[in-house]
Amino acid sequence: MTHAIRLVGFDGDDTLWRSQDYFDAAQAEFERLLGAWVDLNDARVQERLYETEKRNIAVFGYGVKGMVLSMIETAVALTGARIGAAELHRIVEMGKELLQHPVELLPGIPEAVAEIAREHEVVLITKGDLFHQEAKVRHSGLADLFHRIEVVSEKDPPTYARVLAEFGLPPQQFAMIGNSLRSDIAPVLALGGAGVHMPYHTTWAHETEAEVAPDSPRLRTVSGAHELPEAVRALSAAVPA
Amino acid sequence: MTHAIRLVGFDGDDTLWRSQDYFDAAQAEFERLLGAWVDLNDARVQERLYETEKRNIAVFGYGVKGMVLSMIETAVALTGARIGAAELHRIVEMGKELLQHPVELLPGIPEAVAEIAREHEVVLITKGDLFHQEAKVRHSGLADLFHRIEVVSEKDPPTYARVLAEFGLPPQQFAMIGNSLRSDIAPVLALGGAGVHMPYHTTWAHETEAEVAPDSPRLRTVSGAHELPEAVRALSAAVPA
């Protein structure tokens, strides 16, 4: 008996739509802003920001608002509180712009999601800020293709196990599609599910921290959305009992 | 045929645990902080903050992080960007303290939830920041009593309708318990469900904006958690077909 794939999960950020590019741009502007106060050759601005963000995840969780608060904290620390209120306000405005950026779907995504949705039930499982993720789903034009939309605060094996239990599905019949080995692939493989990795050209350092056996029979890697339907079919045929 | 109540929903903030008190205290500290820069007799600090928060809900959603960002925006506007970076950093720290405050259950809540959970399935339906709400549920010690925990970005009729559809339950068999007429009672009554209003001694202005017929047969009002089990029983008996 084989466990054919019955449910396919899609990640949101950098799988369905562009996201990290905007964060990268905001962090570049953050560095320029600090250039008036610190020597950028010495200050390691991006490293210090990442250290602050990582430390603050336990308090803020993921998302734009937490990044903005970590930027303010980093700016105050790096400038010895000499930075002006106008610059700190500009950081808040950068966050508002990020939160209101139009949703830009990645090439081939609408067609790939529609094709997979004809053969399987599809759900969206996305991590981060509930309010921002729901806004992006609404503006993506894809909401109607998804049977369920789950915004979760962390993508780890217990979270996937809970979500699959709510769907009443064993992990063996589930495949997850996403750009992050850490969040989309490793925890699902660990539960006995399958994964399709679709790398994005830029990835937040945090999301690259994962261990995945590259030769797993339950893992496919694709170079773009047009290869997704075939990858899901191959997994559905190959997944052992 | 009567529709007995089969599922009881609890709100989180100011229903299960204290919340608005901490927001009120943070807003009082915010006003003191600004007192060094503006004349508090003229500046209408709290009104200006509430105006900013209300305008920003469409971008930030509810929760502590959005409040902190709105405080920074208000502080910069009210002081003409003269406020110092150290003060703005203090506002970020206030937010971190709010996010890490120990969960303080309201009097009689553990007993009331346990008693209602013996007679009905109970769920937690709470609004706001996903990460912070999940942390509070985890620290409340009540998580195991709830069949499901739903963090939603807005509590309006479409949201309750979606959640009840996921539970597979008609609204007529659902009762919601909470402190907010706007978020917990009015939208559930509008769908045909029942409500138990348990007012809290302090309520955010935003949550008082609601229209509810006070003499609805599907509404009970209680003065404390010890009255909740009896109110649910009365509703269960009184709800018409």
Side-chain angles (χ1 to χ4, degrees):
Chain A
M1 178 193 152
T2 58
H3 286 293
I5 301 296
R6 284 187 47 214
L7 181 74
V8 177
F10 281 84
D11 169 52
D13 291 345
D14 296 325
T15 298
L16 297 180
W17 48 66
R18 281 162 61 117
S19 171
Q20 189 58 38
D21 295 312
Y22 307 127
F23 281 86
D24 288 351
Q27 289 175 11
E29 181 175 350
F30 176 71
E31 189 162 7
R32 282 197 300 279
L33 208 71
L34 287 197
W37 306 87
V38 300
D39 181 346
L40 292 179
N41 292 318
D42 297 334
R44 303 188 301 119
V45 170
Q46 304 285 6
E47 279 167 76
R48 289 289 296 273
L49 174 59
Y50 180 52
E51 287 163 17
T52 310
E53 285 184 290
K54 231 180 133 159
R55 197 170 55 238
N56 282 340
I57 282 176
V59 187
F60 295 147
Y62 298 97
V64 172
K65 288 175 286 189
M67 182 192 73
V68 168
L69 295 172
S70 288
M71 281 182 170
I72 292 171
E73 188 177 317
T74 307
V76 171
L78 281 175
T79 66
R82 289 178 299 118
I83 194 165
E87 282 79 9
L88 295 180
H89 184 231
R90 173 65 202 136
I91 296 173
V92 174
E93 289 298 312
M94 282 163 49
K96 282 186 160 181
E97 290 164 18
L98 258 173
L99 288 167
Q100 295 178 93
H101 206 287
V103 172
E104 191 181 344
L105 295 177
L106 293 180
I109 276 294
E111 298 80 6
V113 177
E115 186 170 342
I116 293 171
R118 279 194 296 272
E119 298 173 18
H120 303 276
E121 204 156 85
V122 296
V123 292
L124 174 54
I125 305 177
T126 176
K127 181 180 73 178
D129 186 84
L130 178 65
F131 190 82
H132 188 205
Q133 293 293 337
E134 286 188 353
K136 287 195 273 194
V137 173
R138 217 164 33 239
H139 295 136
S140 73
L142 300 175
D144 288 346
L145 290 171
F146 292 103
H147 177 65
R148 278 272 284 269
I149 290 151
E150 290 286 332
V151 183
V152 297
S153 59
E154 185 59 272
K155 282 178 156 177
D156 51 15
T159 301
Y160 282 103
R162 172 181 64 77
V163 169
L164 292 173
E166 288 180 7
F167 296 156
L169 197 86
Q172 291 76 11
Q173 302 182 356
F174 176 66
M176 182 74 193
I177 296 172
N179 71 300
S180 168
L181 288 175
R182 177 203 181 96
S183 295
D184 303 314
I185 307 301
V188 175
L189 294 184
L191 289 176
V196 183
H197 185 217
M198 182 167 72
Y200 193 62
H201 72 91
T202 173
T203 307
W204 187 33
H206 190 66
E207 296 297 341
T208 62
E209 299 170 3
E211 284 183 27
V212 174
D215 58 350
S216 164
R218 289 173 290 110
L219 172 65
R220 291 290 183 279
T221 301
V222 300
S223 63
H226 60 287
E227 297 177 15
L228 287 174
E230 194 50 44
V232 172
R233 279 183 213 115
L235 279 172
S236 202
V239 171
Chain B
M1 179 193 152
T2 58
H3 285 294
I5 302 296
R6 285 186 47 213
L7 182 73
V8 177
F10 280 85
D11 169 53
D13 291 344
D14 297 325
T15 298
L16 297 180
W17 48 67
R18 279 163 63 118
S19 172
Q20 188 59 39
D21 295 311
Y22 306 128
F23 281 87
D24 288 349
Q27 290 176 9
E29 182 175 349
F30 176 69
E31 189 163 7
R32 282 196 300 277
L33 209 70
L34 287 198
W37 307 85
V38 299
D39 180 346
L40 292 181
N41 293 317
D42 298 333
R44 302 189 300 119
V45 170
Q46 303 286 5
E47 281 166 75
R48 289 290 295 272
L49 174 59
Y50 180 53
E51 287 162 18
T52 310
E53 285 185 290
K54 234 182 132 159
R55 197 170 55 238
N56 283 340
I57 282 175
V59 186
F60 294 147
Y62 297 97
V64 172
K65 289 176 286 189
M67 182 192 72
V68 168
L69 295 172
S70 288
M71 281 180 169
I72 291 171
E73 188 178 317
T74 308
V76 172
L78 282 176
T79 65
R82 289 178 299 119
I83 193 166
E87 281 79 8
L88 295 180
H89 185 231
R90 174 64 203 138
I91 294 173
V92 174
E93 290 297 312
M94 281 162 50
K96 283 187 159 180
E97 290 164 16
L98 257 173
L99 288 167
Q100 294 177 96
H101 206 287
V103 173
E104 191 182 343
L105 295 177
L106 294 179
I109 276 295
E111 299 79 6
V113 177
E115 185 170 344
I116 292 171
R118 277 195 297 271
E119 299 172 17
H120 304 276
E121 204 156 83
V122 296
V123 292
L124 174 56
I125 305 177
T126 174
K127 182 179 72 177
D129 186 84
L130 178 65
F131 189 82
H132 188 205
Q133 292 293 336
E134 286 187 353
K136 286 194 274 193
V137 172
R138 216 164 33 241
H139 296 136
S140 73
L142 300 176
D144 288 346
L145 290 173
F146 292 103
H147 178 65
R148 277 273 283 273
I149 290 151
E150 291 285 331
V151 183
V152 297
S153 58
E154 185 59 273
K155 282 178 156 176
D156 51 15
T159 301
Y160 281 103
R162 173 181 63 76
V163 169
L164 292 173
E166 288 180 7
F167 295 156
L169 195 86
Q172 289 77 10
Q173 300 182 358
F174 176 65
M176 182 74 193
I177 295 172
N179 70 300
S180 168
L181 287 175
R182 177 204 181 98
S183 294
D184 303 314
I185 306 300
V188 175
L189 293 184
L191 289 175
V196 182
H197 185 217
M198 182 167 71
Y200 194 60
H201 72 91
T202 171
T203 306
W204 188 32
H206 189 65
E207 296 297 342
T208 61
E209 298 171 3
E211 284 182 28
V212 173
D215 57 350
S216 164
R218 288 173 290 110
L219 172 64
R220 291 288 182 281
T221 301
V222 300
S223 63
H226 60 286
E227 297 177 13
L228 287 173
E230 193 51 42
V232 171
R233 277 182 215 117
L235 280 172
S236 203
V239 171

